[in-house]
Amino acid sequence: MVVLSWNDLPLLRATLETFRQFNGSHDMYVVDNGSVDGTGAYLENDGYRVIHHEQNLGVFEGTMSGWTRAVADGHEFILNLQSDFPSLCAVPFAQLEGYLDRNPDVGFIRLNRRKHRPVNSVTHDPVIFQPPEAVGEGFEVSKYNYHMAFHPYLFRASLVEHLRQAPVKSERGLMCAYEGLNLWGAKLRPPCFETLPCNRHGTPGWTP
């Protein structure tokens, strides 16, 4: 799992603690993107794999540094989060990894509550839905052509090097790079994470 954070310590703590509560122990990479709110000290004292940057590199480069480290450590799948996505339930990792193995045309699975958009934000093509496919234990996954973005996604680590080639080093650049791979996305039903309301200075709208 890779989590990006910048001056969001209350939200980050909630995200990490609820993930552990529902999912137990996993390799948890946390990118401290130049925080000055005590995030570094908190992470060092709690045994996380920390990628610390002296300054905020932005969402794209900060996230990529975490993904690249996870790939270098040999992980085949990466769960990407941000600091304001606490868990709602356990993630069925075995079923979802099996789904990705059986569906090579799917690059990632979206796990959070964000609503579907009527069109793809990059290509502006209509979002096309196919019938859901059961993956076990009451979870269903449906394919769609939704773009890749910085939200709760389980995706193939093999995508990282392709996505690093984004022409513009931004979230939009990442979406364009993903679109160029001509892969489907998928959505898990029910979702496993929820977005917390917050401002960009780290003031939480929810407390654990």
Side-chain angles (χ1 to χ4, degrees):
M1 181 185 76
V2 175
V3 184
L4 177 70
S5 185
W6 176 68
N7 289 339
D8 272 344
L9 182 54
L11 301 180
L12 175 65
R13 183 184 291 115
T15 293
L16 296 176
E17 289 178 356
T18 58
F19 181 85
R20 279 182 165 173
Q21 173 189 344
F22 285 104
N23 297 288
S25 178
H26 288 265
D27 285 342
M28 301 171 74
Y29 297 83
V30 184
V31 180
D32 176 14
N33 215 12
S35 299
V36 294
D37 63 347
T39 292
Y42 164 73
L43 294 172
E44 289 175 6
N45 291 331
D46 216 4
Y48 296 103
R49 297 173 183 245
V50 183
I51 298 97
H52 177 73
H53 300 298
E54 293 297 328
Q55 60 184 1
N56 190 331
L57 302 182
V59 176
F60 184 97
E61 290 296 343
T63 301
M64 277 293 173
S65 69
W67 291 359
T68 302
R69 170 75 177 277
V71 171
D73 288 347
H75 291 285
E76 185 178 357
F77 299 98
I78 297 174
L79 171 61
N80 182 71
L81 301 180
Q82 286 179 290
S83 56
D84 56 342
F85 288 101
S87 296
L88 297 172
C89 62
V91 179
F93 285 109
Q95 292 94 319
L96 297 178
E97 291 169 4
Y99 178 86
L100 288 173
D101 284 338
R102 295 190 303 272
N103 294 272
D105 61 332
V106 172
F108 68 94
I109 299 175
R110 183 159 61 103
L111 305 175
N112 69 321
R113 283 187 178 275
R114 293 178 67 86
K115 296 180 180 179
H116 288 300
R117 297 179 183 178
V119 296
N120 185 291
S121 294
V122 175
T123 66
H124 303 292
D125 293 330
V127 174
I128 302 171
F129 293 92
Q130 295 182 352
E133 302 174 35
V135 294
E137 295 187 9
F139 290 93
E140 294 181 337
V141 171
S142 56
K143 293 182 183 180
Y144 64 117
N145 67 344
Y146 198 91
H147 62 258
M148 179 68 175
F150 294 105
H151 298 302
Y153 291 104
L154 183 74
F155 66 95
R156 305 176 191 279
S158 58
L159 291 179
V160 172
E161 190 54 39
H162 292 288
L163 297 176
R164 284 199 65 86
Q165 305 306 314
V168 179
K169 303 303 182 183
S170 66
E171 184 166 357
R172 181 176 180 84
L174 180 71
M175 289 188 286
C176 291
Y178 181 82
E179 289 297 322
L181 299 176
N182 295 316
L183 292 173
W184 284 84
K187 179 184 177 183
L188 177 70
R189 303 173 182 274
C192 297
F193 299 91
E194 178 65 283
T195 307
L196 296 179
C198 65
N199 62 38
R200 286 299 84 205
H201 299 289
T203 302
W206 177 87
T207 54

